Amino acid sequence: MSASSLTLTASSPMRTLRWTLAGLLLVLAWDASGLDLALAHWSGSADGFALRSNWFLLQIAHEGARRLAWLAVLGLTLCVWRPVGVLRRLPHARREQLVAGIFMSLIVISALKYISDTSCPWDLAEFGGLARHVSHWALGQADGGSGHCFPAGHATTGFALLSGYFALRRHAARAACIWLATALVLGLAMGLAQQMRGAHFMSHTLWTGWLCWLTAWACDLAVTHLAPRKPAATARIQEHHRASRARNACSRSRRPGR
């Protein structure tokens, strides 16, 4: 199957819904497995996380990646009006969708982190901290730590780019597939870097990926729903203006000469 036929098929709402539900089941299965702590023990111990202050993970994979991501977002924002490369194939509304989806993903994840009582692995007593491990599903139940650690914020740097897949898939199939793979790899890589430092569990990263996908799809549905209405609305406005000009012209022609 070609990339074009694959992407066009994937643009079906029902097909996308099935992928979305499959992703949700995968994340829920990971939650139910209890593997978060087991994976965290690979890089952490009772003395904490040895890689917490690792220069590469901190300065390159975290700070450097964050700055680079903001530069990329700035560039994509400018491309709404001055598109380059494959973005030239997109209608203006889809370029707006791409950027809006990125910002909406950042807002959704930041808002959930703000209200979350879940603390980071490095805050837990078994890794040298003071908090106890409490599931992020135990809403409103504090764990004795600083909280605000769920879902994973840094992984949003990569997963927010999933918005580009939805914007591209109807107009540039191969580019959409590449964009999708890139966003997933970047999100997982940045999430893994933070897990090695003790900043997040794997479940935090997986939920961030799923929520960014859901947010990007919601933006896609909104644009798809509104796009056909815009030309019709514009046509009605133009017709109204033409009728008004015609009435004004008739009124002027009927005035008696001075």
Side-chain angles (χ1 to χ4, degrees):
M1 183 180 290
S2 67
S4 177
S5 60
L6 176 63
T7 309
L8 288 175
T9 302
S11 66
S12 163
M14 288 307 299
R15 182 66 177 270
T16 307
L17 176 60
R18 286 195 290 270
W19 280 110
T20 303
L21 293 176
L24 176 60
L25 290 175
L26 175 65
V27 179
L28 289 173
W30 179 271
D31 267 356
S33 72
L35 290 174
D36 268 346
L37 282 172
L39 188 61
H41 276 289
W42 285 8
S43 55
S45 67
D47 296 323
F49 290 84
L51 297 175
R52 180 170 180 173
S53 300
N54 177 269
W55 179 84
F56 178 82
L57 294 178
L58 181 60
Q59 298 299 326
I60 303 299
H62 187 263
E63 295 299 325
R66 181 169 56 85
R67 295 188 186 100
L68 187 61
W70 277 112
L71 287 175
V73 171
L74 175 60
L76 290 171
T77 303
L78 294 175
C79 283
V80 172
W81 298 277
R82 297 286 183 180
V84 297
V86 71
L87 297 182
R88 292 195 185 101
R89 304 186 201 175
L90 298 181
H92 186 81
R94 294 297 178 185
R95 297 197 297 271
E96 290 180 329
Q97 171 192 327
L98 193 162
V99 175
I102 291 174
F103 280 106
M104 285 304 299
S105 294
L106 294 171
I107 290 171
V108 167
I109 301 302
S110 296
L112 290 174
K113 282 174 64 68
Y114 180 78
I115 64 175
S116 171
D117 291 319
T118 301
S119 296
C120 303
W122 58 37
D123 290 325
L124 301 184
E126 58 193 290
F127 298 113
L130 299 175
R132 68 186 190 281
H133 182 260
V134 175
S135 170
H136 44 257
W137 290 109
L139 303 179
Q141 183 176 343
D143 56 18
S146 57
H148 309 300
C149 200
F150 174 82
H154 188 55
T156 317
T157 305
F159 287 131
L161 295 176
L162 288 169
S163 178
Y165 163 73
F166 286 96
L168 285 163
R169 61 181 179 165
R170 295 177 181 83
H171 306 278
R174 187 173 299 278
C177 292
I178 294 172
W179 201 292
L180 173 62
T182 302
L184 291 175
V185 169
L186 287 175
L188 288 171
M190 292 177 184
L192 180 60
Q194 287 295 84
Q195 290 165 50
M196 294 173 67
R197 297 182 59 235
H200 287 292
F201 288 118
M202 172 61 80
S203 62
H204 299 187
T205 298
L206 295 179
W207 276 112
T208 293
W210 188 81
L211 289 167
C212 286
W213 169 276
L214 188 65
T215 302
W217 185 28
C219 290
D220 180 66
L221 290 174
V223 172
T224 301
H225 178 70
L226 294 174
R229 300 172 182 265
K230 288 185 177 180
T234 303
R236 287 195 297 270
I237 293 172
Q238 292 174 344
E239 180 63 27
H240 176 73
H241 288 166
R242 285 195 293 268
S244 297
R245 288 195 295 269
R247 286 195 297 269
N248 292 336
C250 290
S251 298
R252 286 195 297 269
S253 65
R254 291 173 183 170
R255 291 175 185 171
R258 293 181 180 178

